[in-house]
Amino acid sequence: MTTTSHNVLPEELEDLVALFDVRGTDTPTPDDEREAALAAPRFGTVFTDHMARISWRHDSGWLDRRIEKYGPLQLDPATAVLHYAQEIFEGMKAYRHEDGSVWTFRPDANAARFARSAHRLALPPLTVDDFIGSIAALVRTDEAWVPSGADSSLYLRPFMFASEAFLGVRPAAQVEYLCIASPVGPYFAGGVKPVSIWVSEDYHRAGPGGTGDAKCGGNYAASLLPQTEAQQHGCDQVCFLDTTTNTYLEELGGMNVFVVKDDGSVHTPELTGSILEGVTRSSILRLVADRGYDVVERRIPLEEIVSGLADGSVREFFACGTAAVVTPVGRLAGSTFDHPVADGEPGELTMAVRTELTDIQYGRAEDKHGWMRRLA
Ligand code: COI
């Protein structure tokens, strides 16, 4: 079996899943309770019966691949992650198609980013095979938890953390990898409607050489205070600027951003090292280019967007990520400006891209780029 493949074939998936020892719970959630939980879950509040887990020891590598009962972890108070935040995670989804089959979207891209994040946080790399095998084994065990309602899915949260009880500052010699799963509907409580954004001039998310392009908990912790500030200004989300000049758009607390101009061009901040390389971001770049738009990845001055909103040359603004998919932005505000995006309603391209992407993910449209992988 390969440990470096980037495109796991269906027959290989069987071998990868077989490596996981399924230690099923003896107290599964009763069918009626599960159905009730699946009816209208709030993002990230309900979890399935099991979790995937692999342990790592410095001297023996990854061992004990298993699916076990979902439940609390017992951690020594000296566990390194609690002190030094040596932790990474991913966000993915499993989608129920009309024929009952269950699929995921570009897991190879998430696996590759997980390995890059692990490298940056001095954690051991997990192979693509173990990453995808763990997800497939968990989804097969908890298949009944994959919802079938419109815009609903099983959100998958693979993560890895330093589990060694040791207060010295060095890479941990003991690490745990887990994947948990949570049935979800829309990320924002209001469903798919435009969100407002506050541009933070006082706080940054990440700087050059930092961890901005790694998906680690610390980046999200750093976004919480500015996010609170955004809410105090009446906005839903915070947008960060670059650390060096405080003038270029970077990303939101947990989503990439796109701008659509009236000349038919589509722009997104280029990957400078401090921006997360979103899987949804790169998929949208492809879909928009397929539609014939001029797609530009570059440094985008905030000033250009503010004046473009004022003079109407910026037609649409949207945010994207696995959890929120494609979310229209209806207003952009900061200490010296406050503008609606066009008429404040969802943009045409924004909603067209959202529909195209979700149609692929839910099996309603042809998967021209070979992005979908069947899990169950
Ligand atoms: C995702 O979109 O999956 C994310 O990881 C963003 C957020 C929920 C942390």
Side-chain angles (χ1 to χ4, degrees):
M1 186 193 323
T2 168
T3 52
T4 55
S5 73
H6 289 281
N7 190 350
V8 175
L9 299 169
E11 56 274 21
E12 290 173 341
L13 192 58
E14 299 307 317
D15 294 345
L16 303 184
V17 169
L19 294 175
F20 286 78
D21 182 23
V22 180
R23 304 171 196 164
T25 175
D26 47 13
T27 52
T29 306
D31 289 352
D32 55 340
E33 277 180 38
R34 189 187 61 244
E35 290 309 321
L38 289 181
R42 250 194 334 119
F43 183 84
T45 55
V46 174
F47 297 92
T48 67
D49 285 331
H50 297 90
M51 56 192 188
R53 188 163 184 177
I54 319 178
S55 303
W56 182 86
R57 302 288 174 268
H58 183 257
D59 41 10
S60 37
W62 290 107
L63 42 95
D64 201 8
R65 291 162 182 79
R66 66 235 193 237
I67 299 295
E68 60 185 33
K69 178 179 176 167
Y70 180 94
L73 305 173
Q74 198 180 26
L75 295 181
D76 188 292
T79 301
V81 69
L82 302 177
H83 303 271
Y84 308 126
Q86 195 189 2
E87 186 269 355
I88 58 169
F89 68 96
E90 275 299 322
M92 305 165 69
K93 283 176 173 170
Y95 307 90
R96 173 90 62 195
H97 286 191
E98 180 130 31
D99 65 359
S101 58
V102 179
W103 300 69
T104 194
F105 182 74
R106 303 186 67 186
D108 37 304
N110 291 91
R113 187 173 64 187
F114 199 58
R116 293 198 299 276
S117 300
H119 176 73
R120 181 62 184 85
L121 272 289
L123 284 161
L126 189 76
T127 64
V128 173
D129 287 355
D130 271 337
F131 185 87
I132 295 181
S134 69
I135 284 159
L138 177 61
V139 169
R140 287 177 185 197
T141 307
D142 282 339
E143 200 202 317
W145 286 89
V146 184
S148 50
D151 283 332
S152 64
S153 58
L154 186 66
Y155 185 76
L156 302 168
R157 173 53 64 89
F159 61 104
M160 188 196 290
F161 66 93
S163 57
E164 183 183 4
F166 176 60
L167 294 184
V169 182
R170 58 142 171 80
Q174 285 185 23
V175 168
E176 293 293 312
Y177 162 77
L178 290 97
C179 181
I180 56 175
S182 171
V184 296
Y187 181 64
F188 292 109
V192 187
K193 61 175 204 215
V195 296
S196 51
I197 288 183
W198 174 260
V199 180
S200 177
E201 287 156 36
D202 302 327
Y203 299 105
H204 294 98
R205 178 179 168 276
T211 57
D213 60 355
K215 202 161 174 67
C216 61
N219 291 342
Y220 296 79
S223 78
L224 299 178
L225 179 62
Q227 168 67 24
T228 305
E229 186 189 71
Q231 285 161 344
Q232 283 162 353
H233 286 96
C235 292
D236 301 307
Q237 292 286 311
V238 62
C239 178
F240 293 102
L241 300 175
D242 75 290
T243 309
T244 312
T245 70
N246 213 27
T247 55
Y248 296 105
L249 293 185
E250 294 235 304
E251 63 175 279
L252 308 189
M255 283 171 275
N256 296 117
V257 292
F258 278 80
V259 171
V260 184
K261 294 209 174 184
D262 63 352
D263 62 1
S265 58
V266 178
H267 306 248
T268 193
E270 71 175 326
L271 302 174
T272 54
S274 52
I275 295 176
L276 191 77
E277 184 174 357
V279 177
T280 310
R281 174 189 180 279
S282 78
S283 309
I284 290 171
L285 285 172
R286 181 76 257 154
L287 295 179
V288 170
D290 289 352
R291 283 171 177 258
Y293 284 85
D294 179 16
V295 183
V296 195
E297 291 177 77
R298 65 178 175 95
R299 307 231 292 171
I300 303 176
L302 170 66
E303 181 47 39
E304 175 190 318
I305 301 310
V306 171
S307 55
L309 289 173
D311 68 21
S313 58
V314 169
R315 298 294 308 152
E316 303 183 30
F317 196 123
F318 65 85
C320 66
T322 298
V325 199
V326 173
T327 296
V329 173
R331 176 181 160 220
L332 192 74
S335 61
T336 58
F337 59 91
D338 191 342
H339 294 292
V341 177
D343 58 2
E345 292 302 311
E348 202 179 311
L349 182 62
T350 303
M351 295 314 281
V353 168
R354 182 186 165 92
T355 301
E356 185 173 5
L357 188 60
T358 51
D359 279 352
I360 295 169
Q361 291 169 333
Y362 287 90
R364 297 184 293 254
E366 189 192 345
D367 174 23
K368 291 195 189 109
H369 298 289
W371 285 336
M372 302 304 292
R373 296 277 175 276
R374 184 167 179 173
L375 295 176

